[in-house]
């Protein structure tokens, strides 16, 4: 049975991506940038060309953002993968599934409107993404622009998935980190993803 015990310390170092949002996303037209010199709005026409296996990673993850709650899409992650966003920190694939399987419970719809791949290196793929969320309780749609960065292992599985909504990286300290970890550790008890993940 997958563990929901409290997370181990954050695996700093080799797997956690530390993207430079300004370098990756800054628009040559300064008027298109936020005051922090980032432009998280995707421009698909400028997207880097990537091999089919990398396209499949982006497709699986955007499917999950869009509410697929699919075991097949979840297999893009390594068993001990990390997911890290403003609200959650998860350190196994099963805990990550707890986040994705919650999407259909919370939202009437969620759609990936656009992506732009901005980095494709030996062990990293990163893209800008616009996701439109429509909560079930309040039918008001809101687009969210973010920078998604995934580190891959030798088999091409995602070992660290970081979703940044602004130019700041995560410190993994203090009350915010504690709340993120609690969310990641215990949400599976509510969303109940398949136990064999």
């Amino acid at each position: 049975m997958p563990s929901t015990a409290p997370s181990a310390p954050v695996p700093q170092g080799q797997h956690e991506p530390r993207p430079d949002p300004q370098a990756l996303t800054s628009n040559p037209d300064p008027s298109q940038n936020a005051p922090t010199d980032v432009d998280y709005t995707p421009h698909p026409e400028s997207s880097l060309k990537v091999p089919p296996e990398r396209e499949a990673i982006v497709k699986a993850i955007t499917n999950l953002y869009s509410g697929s709650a699919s075991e097949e899409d979840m297999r893009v992650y390594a068993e001990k993968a990390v997911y890290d966003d403003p609200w959650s920190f998860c350190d196994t694939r099963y805990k990550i599934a707890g986040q994705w399987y919650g999407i259909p419970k919370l939202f009437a719809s969620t759609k990936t409107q656009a992506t732009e791949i901005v980095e494709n290196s030996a062990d990293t793929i990163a893209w800008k993404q616009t996701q439109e969320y429509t909560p079930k309780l309040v039918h008001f749609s809101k687009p969210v622009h973010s920078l998604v960065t995934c580190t891959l292992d030798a088999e091409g599985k995602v070992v660290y998935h970081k979703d940044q909504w602004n130019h700041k990286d995560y410190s993994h300290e203090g009350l915010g980190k504690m709340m993120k970890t609690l969310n990641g550790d215990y949400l599976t008890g509510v969303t109940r993803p398949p136990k064999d993940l």
Side-chain angles (χ1 to χ4, degrees), residues 49-60 76 117 120 125:
K49 301 296 182 185
V50 297
E53 59 270 20
R54 294 289 178 95
E55 290 182 356
I57 291 170
V58 176
K59 177 62 174 172
V76 75
I117 297 172
N120 180 43
I125 184 167

Side-chain angles (χ1 to χ4, degrees), residues 141-160:
S141 299
K142 178 177 177 55
V144 174
H145 307 295
S146 65
L147 176 65
V148 178
T149 307
C150 292
T151 305
L152 312 177
D153 65 14
E155 297 178 354
K157 297 283 190 180
V158 175
V159 289
Y160 206 115

Side-chain angles (χ1 to χ4, degrees), residues 30-49:
S31 69
Q32 300 300 309
N33 291 327
T36 52
D37 291 327
V38 298
D39 174 19
Y40 281 2
T41 302
H43 305 281
E45 70 279 2
S46 300
S47 189
L48 298 177
K49 301 296 182 185

Side-chain angles (χ1 to χ4, degrees), residues 29-93:
D29 178 358
S31 69
Q32 300 300 309
N33 291 327
T36 52
D37 291 327
V38 298
D39 174 19
Y40 281 2
T41 302
H43 305 281
E45 70 279 2
S46 300
S47 189
L48 298 177
K49 301 296 182 185
V50 297
E53 59 270 20
R54 294 289 178 95
E55 290 182 356
I57 291 170
V58 176
K59 177 62 174 172
I61 290 178
T62 55
N63 285 347
L64 290 164
Y65 275 102
S66 298
S68 73
S70 158
E71 289 188 54
E72 181 180 359
D73 289 331
M74 280 301 308
R75 298 295 175 187
V76 75
Y77 294 103
E79 185 177 354
K80 297 298 183 182
V82 168
Y83 175 84
D84 195 5
D85 77 3
W87 301 105
S88 302
F89 180 87
C90 309
D91 60 5
T92 68
R93 183 170 59 208

Side-chain angles (χ1 to χ4, degrees), residues 10-21 24-25 40 57 61 65 77 81-90 96 100 118-119 123-129 145-152 158-172 177 180:
V10 177
Q12 301 287 346
Q14 62 174 339
H15 293 313
E16 182 179 6
R18 293 289 187 183
D20 181 339
L24 287 173
T25 72
Y40 281 2
I57 291 170
I61 290 178
Y65 275 102
Y77 294 103
V82 168
Y83 175 84
D84 195 5
D85 77 3
W87 301 105
S88 302
F89 180 87
C90 309
I96 296 170
W100 295 130
V118 295
E119 181 180 358
D123 65 351
T124 303
I125 184 167
W127 63 94
K128 297 192 286 185
Q129 178 171 306
H145 307 295
S146 65
L147 176 65
V148 178
T149 307
C150 292
T151 305
L152 312 177
V158 175
V159 289
Y160 206 115
H161 174 167
K162 180 176 285 187
D163 186 349
Q164 293 172 263
W165 294 5
N166 59 39
H167 68 291
K168 295 181 179 179
D169 205 347
Y170 305 130
S171 69
H172 304 304
K177 168 58 173 57
K180 286 174 53 165

